[in-house]
Amino acid sequence: MRLSLVALLALSFVPAASAQTSIGAQLGDPTGVSLKLGDGSGAILVGVGWDFSGDDAVNLEGHYLLRSRGLQGNRQVRLFYGPGIFASFGDIQDAFGVSVGVGLETELVDSIEVYGLVSPRLQLINETDFDAGGGIGVRVRV
């Protein structure tokens, strides 16, 4: 039930179906599938993965990109950032909170992008806690 509610909330922010979509994998927190809906400012980043630290948790994280722009002197590398939410459903404890995603991305070749993301998080449900997520990954435009 809680997973369905989070998925429904995330889908309410999805851009139009005609938008560019990329899918790939991420190593980090969460380690798993990475999805990007749209391109540039206004895109949605979604990560779904698993926590291998013994909690057997499923982790979800999503960010709305407020800004995506080329770096000064290197337009091939883009800085992006935006607000987000995260949720974790595990054997030990469930969690939900807000986050801010900040990262860099570039295209290796046409339609293949690599990225790095750092995501400071403020947990709000079950306890108040601060930690960080993020990772590195690769996505292919479909």
Side-chain angles (χ1 to χ4, degrees):
M1 174 65 177
R2 288 178 282 191
L3 184 58
S4 299
L5 181 61
V6 171
L8 184 60
L9 179 63
L11 288 175
S12 69
F13 292 104
V14 172
S18 64
Q20 180 177 337
T21 302
S22 301
I23 189 165
Q26 175 174 303
L27 294 174
D29 186 6
T31 292
V33 177
S34 173
L35 181 66
K36 182 178 179 185
L37 304 166
D39 193 30
S41 300
I44 304 287
L45 302 178
V46 178
V48 179
W50 301 267
D51 182 358
F52 296 111
S53 66
D55 186 12
D56 292 331
V58 173
N59 298 311
L60 303 166
E61 184 168 32
H63 291 97
Y64 176 79
L65 296 189
L66 287 177
R67 184 85 166 157
S68 176
R69 63 185 185 107
L71 292 181
Q72 187 80 11
N74 187 349
R75 299 290 179 205
Q76 298 299 327
V77 178
R78 293 178 303 280
L79 169 71
F80 62 88
Y81 57 88
I85 59 174
F86 73 93
S88 179
F89 306 99
D91 292 342
I92 298 173
Q93 175 179 321
D94 296 338
F96 180 83
V98 295
S99 63
V100 175
V102 178
L104 295 172
E105 67 182 1
T106 189
E107 284 194 15
L108 288 179
V109 293
D110 190 34
S111 77
I112 298 177
E113 63 185 24
V114 295
Y115 67 92
L117 171 70
V118 175
S119 178
R121 300 173 177 167
L122 176 62
Q123 182 178 331
L124 300 171
I125 294 191
N126 283 341
E127 66 180 38
T128 302
D129 192 14
F130 181 80
D131 70 351
I136 57 172
V138 61
R139 287 187 289 255
V140 176
R141 197 173 313 132
V142 291

